[in-house]
Amino acid sequence: MYEGALQDLIDEFGRLPGIGPKSAQRMALHVLDTEAEDVDRLLEAIKAVRKRVKHCMICGNLTEEETCTICRDERRDPTVICVVQEPKDIQAIEGSRVFTGQYHVLGGVIDPIRGIGPHQLRIRELLARLHNNQIREVIVATNPNVEGEATATYLARTLEGIGVPTSRLAMGLPMGGDLEYADSITLGRALEGRRTM
Amino acid sequence: MYEGALQDLIDEFGRLPGIGPKSAQRMALHVLDTEAEDVDRLLEAIKAVRKRVKHCMICGNLTEEETCTICRDERRDPTVICVVQEPKDIQAIEGSRVFTGQYHVLGGVIDPIRGIGPHQLRIRELLARLHNNQIREVIVATNPNVEGEATATYLARTLEGIGVPTSRLAMGLPMGGDLEYADSITLGRALEGRRTM
């Protein structure tokens, strides 16, 4: 244990997600040792993020403008919407370079245990987009777990009612994976979703 | 890649030691999402560390006073000095609860490749302490690698000249270790340093 201000900073860094006590200590000692301008840059970057970054008024992605770069990009197909839980999922899907449509961020998933129902999510905004625009397909890309599946099922039923076709990301073996180590549910889904060659 | 201020903050977090791109992203998104008071506490903690923490004028440890808590503690034996590379090594040794003497921080090790010689370290301050006080023993606790060993040897020779006995931390098998996986140098040192039972 250090004393005073140094321990305070270690505690603060330790509150950040994924940062254990040893990492927090290394980070705090670095802040103490590094050049003053490095520290100023870090302080300014933290303040700037809080001040400038907000949610895209169309899709809910993070942006510094009214709308995000993806919604503003005229080369993106506006008739296909990929529904994700959080803005960081957009980054993951963009990394695959396969999807060329637009996004919609729910801001979470249906999770009765935590008291999160459909009304706490940006589903009303999604329905408004579907109502006002010609949409060919909604791809639901919530996480492949119980809450994500439940949310996907809820969305599919809701959108069925207004005649918009809904799809779900394929489940199966991850690239570089090993049959021997795949869990039985994943393997079952891979079999069900098999494709002719 | 995010845009603007958010990516700037991810980059700044990524410059901290031991923080990879994924961790930096999680931290930045947390800063964006969390309560304003959490962010203020983090900002204040960073500023406070830079403003308040300095080096103990006796041993070089980190402190907010003129001297550190260990140098001020009258129960510590002032006739035994443990020489370490960095303040964080003091934390590690204190964790063992075995050492009851005082410390001296070198601020590094002799490392000709990086142009660090004895004069860049706090060796002159160590000699002054030995000159002004009755010291029974100096324990050299530099890291067990080439530079640490070279620095320990240099210190032992220098202190031999002024008649102060010098010792070095024992080398051997780590607790919970496995003979099969011990490297040959460590095993050799463990054999050389064997103790009668």
Side-chain angles (χ1 to χ4, degrees):
Chain A
M1 283 287 287
Y2 288 92
E3 11 163 357
L6 185 55
Q7 188 60 44
D8 289 346
L9 182 56
I10 293 171
D11 293 343
E12 288 304 325
F13 278 140
R15 284 197 186 92
L16 296 172
I19 303 300
K22 285 268 173 189
S23 299
Q25 181 182 312
R26 283 184 71 188
M27 288 162 67
L29 289 172
H30 175 83
V31 164
L32 187 59
D33 272 346
T34 193
E35 305 293 325
E37 60 192 275
D38 291 347
V39 178
D40 289 341
R41 252 199 344 260
L42 175 61
L43 292 171
E44 289 310 314
I46 292 173
K47 288 184 219 162
V49 149
R50 295 289 295 197
K51 196 171 154 189
R52 291 206 224 129
V53 180
K54 50 196 174 183
H55 291 282
C56 169
M57 55 181 289
I58 298 173
C59 75
N61 190 12
L62 299 172
T63 180
E64 296 182 24
E65 313 288 332
E66 291 291 289
T67 55
C68 73
T69 47
I70 295 173
C71 286
R72 284 200 306 271
D73 187 344
E74 292 184 357
R75 288 164 304 179
R76 310 284 306 210
D77 181 355
T79 67
V80 183
I81 293 181
C82 179
V83 175
V84 295
Q85 295 182 207
E86 304 290 348
K88 65 181 174 210
D89 300 324
I90 295 180
Q91 297 296 319
I93 294 172
E94 286 295 288
S96 76
R97 295 165 190 273
V98 168
F99 181 66
T100 56
Q102 296 188 332
Y103 290 94
H104 191 85
V105 178
L106 291 178
V109 275
I110 297 171
D111 189 349
I113 294 169
R114 295 188 186 166
I116 300 170
H119 298 293
Q120 273 91 55
L121 306 176
R122 297 180 69 256
I123 292 178
R124 208 182 34 194
E125 289 85 343
L126 175 63
L127 295 176
R129 282 178 80 178
L130 300 180
H131 186 77
N132 298 332
N133 302 280
Q134 196 76 26
I135 308 291
R136 283 190 296 128
E137 183 182 1
V138 168
I139 302 171
V140 183
T142 50
N143 282 330
N145 54 29
V146 175
E147 293 80 15
E149 291 291 297
T151 308
T153 306
Y154 176 87
L155 281 176
R157 284 192 195 149
T158 308
L159 303 189
E160 198 180 21
I162 56 172
V164 177
T166 311
S167 63
R168 179 97 178 91
L169 292 190
M171 305 267 267
L173 298 171
M175 195 64 193
D178 199 322
L179 272 190
E180 190 185 352
Y181 298 113
D183 66 286
S184 53
I185 294 176
T186 300
L187 209 47
R189 298 287 173 92
L191 273 167
E192 287 164 14
R194 69 191 180 277
R195 295 169 65 166
T196 50
M197 293 179 62
Chain B
M1 283 288 285
Y2 289 90
E3 15 164 352
L6 185 55
Q7 188 60 42
D8 289 346
L9 182 56
I10 293 171
D11 293 344
E12 288 304 324
F13 278 140
R15 285 196 184 93
L16 296 172
I19 304 299
K22 284 268 172 185
S23 299
Q25 182 182 310
R26 281 186 71 188
M27 289 162 65
L29 289 173
H30 175 84
V31 165
L32 187 60
D33 272 346
T34 194
E35 304 294 323
E37 59 192 277
D38 291 347
V39 177
D40 289 341
R41 254 201 340 263
L42 176 61
L43 292 171
E44 289 311 314
I46 292 172
K47 288 184 217 160
V49 149
R50 294 290 296 195
K51 196 170 155 191
R52 292 207 223 127
V53 180
K54 49 197 176 184
H55 291 282
C56 170
M57 55 180 290
I58 298 174
C59 74
N61 189 12
L62 299 172
T63 180
E64 296 183 23
E65 314 288 331
E66 291 290 289
T67 55
C68 73
T69 47
I70 295 173
C71 286
R72 283 200 306 271
D73 187 344
E74 292 183 356
R75 289 163 303 179
R76 310 284 306 209
D77 182 355
T79 67
V80 183
I81 293 181
C82 178
V83 175
V84 294
Q85 295 182 207
E86 303 290 348
K88 66 181 171 207
D89 300 325
I90 295 181
Q91 297 295 320
I93 294 174
E94 287 294 287
S96 75
R97 295 168 190 271
V98 167
F99 182 66
T100 56
Q102 296 187 334
Y103 290 94
H104 192 85
V105 178
L106 291 178
V109 275
I110 297 170
D111 188 350
I113 294 169
R114 294 186 187 168
I116 299 170
H119 298 293
Q120 272 90 55
L121 306 177
R122 296 181 68 256
I123 293 177
R124 207 181 36 191
E125 289 86 342
L126 176 63
L127 295 175
R129 282 178 80 179
L130 300 179
H131 185 77
N132 298 332
N133 301 279
Q134 196 76 26
I135 308 290
R136 285 189 295 128
E137 183 182 0
V138 168
I139 302 170
V140 183
T142 49
N143 281 332
N145 54 29
V146 175
E147 293 80 17
E149 292 290 298
T151 308
T153 306
Y154 176 88
L155 280 176
R157 283 192 195 149
T158 308
L159 302 189
E160 197 180 22
I162 56 171
V164 177
T166 312
S167 63
R168 179 98 178 91
L169 292 189
M171 306 266 267
L173 299 171
M175 195 64 192
D178 199 322
L179 273 189
E180 191 184 351
Y181 298 114
D183 65 287
S184 54
I185 295 176
T186 300
L187 209 46
R189 297 288 173 92
L191 273 167
E192 286 164 15
R194 68 190 178 280
R195 295 169 65 167
T196 50
M197 293 180 61

